[in-house]
Amino acid sequence: MHLILPTTVQLEITDNCNFRCQHCYRLEDCERHFKDSDDERVMDIARHLVKDKVYNVILTGGEPMTRPKLLMRLVEYLCENDFNVNINTNLTLLTDDLLDCFIKNDVRNLLVSCPSGIPEEYNMITRTSAFNVFEKNLRKLSESGLHHSINMVVNKLNATSVRKTAEFVKSCGSVRFGATPMSLNALYPRKDLLLTNNGVRSLLYELYGVHKDLGMEIDVMEALPKCAIPEEFVREGLCFTRRKCQAGLTTAAISCKGDVRP
């Protein structure tokens, strides 16, 4: 059997973000002066996804909650058409209306970005003062019972804070924790922040300790080179050891302007 369409699409509903994270692969887009596509343009993309029978969608950005009315409209429309809907967010713009919409429409998962569980480090990396808002909203999300996962993008700025971050999000009620090495961005090549191969291996051991000691589900949100994965983790069958790059095979990304890329 051959797939004629991707099964999963990341739909970037905006280039805007209220953060300026130093590791962000979309940083150049956020830094530029831009004008978002109008709501109907993005809804038209969603209608094409329904027509083409794509059945998994990740609503992302930028920060999708910068466009709350459009986000709720997309969630309602896609869920009505039997999509598995996921949302990537930094969570700091969460409102009661958004949360109620996600619960009512049975959003499958929120992937929540948390660069650090240490307030000063969080604010430094995001270039905001949003840590307290993030903590409040994460506790609210956990109390709602809505399925969510945490992802910590790890680089040299926060590599020593993985365990503390996992402990922090667990204290807020989260049970799923991912730690993903920062990727190289050709448009914003902060090579000075990238982990070395040994740094990636150290991160994986730290992540494994989170699983063993804190009882959290763990993951890495991108496919890693197999040479970076300790052999004992492969033998144990940890989920991230089986992750493969699906860009252009089962997944695609679509910008709010309709540009498609692997």
Side-chain angles (χ1 to χ4, degrees), residues 92-200:
T92 58
L93 300 178
L94 182 69
T95 64
D96 289 341
D97 286 344
L98 282 167
L99 186 58
D100 289 345
C101 173
F102 301 159
I103 294 170
K104 177 183 175 182
N105 290 282
D106 197 24
V107 167
R108 186 171 186 178
N109 184 60
L110 270 70
L111 181 62
V112 177
S113 174
C114 178
S116 180
I118 301 170
E120 298 78 12
E121 194 168 80
Y122 179 103
N123 291 338
M124 178 270 293
I125 291 172
T126 62
R127 292 187 270 200
T128 68
S129 55
F131 180 83
N132 291 339
V133 174
F134 173 78
E135 180 178 3
K136 179 190 73 174
N137 286 347
L138 182 57
R139 292 185 185 279
K140 182 188 295 185
L141 177 62
S142 297
E143 290 166 3
S144 76
L146 195 64
H147 194 283
H148 71 278
S149 310
I150 305 296
N151 184 42
M152 177 185 185
V153 176
V154 182
N155 55 54
K156 290 180 179 177
L157 295 174
N158 59 0
T160 61
S161 306
V162 174
R163 179 61 170 258
K164 289 182 179 179
T165 302
E167 291 172 345
F168 162 69
V169 298
K170 184 179 181 181
S171 75
C172 293
S174 301
V175 297
R176 287 167 286 274
F177 180 75
T180 305
M182 172 185 170
S183 298
L184 179 64
N185 178 0
L187 297 177
Y188 183 67
R190 288 297 307 270
K191 296 179 182 179
D192 57 308
L193 297 183
L194 293 174
L195 299 180
T196 64
N197 196 42
N198 286 337
V200 173

Side-chain angles (χ1 to χ4, degrees), residues 23-35:
H23 59 259
C24 181
Y25 75 98
R26 298 297 307 280
L27 184 62
E28 183 177 86
D29 294 325
C30 293
E31 295 277 278
R32 285 195 316 235
H33 176 73
F34 68 91
K35 182 178 179 181

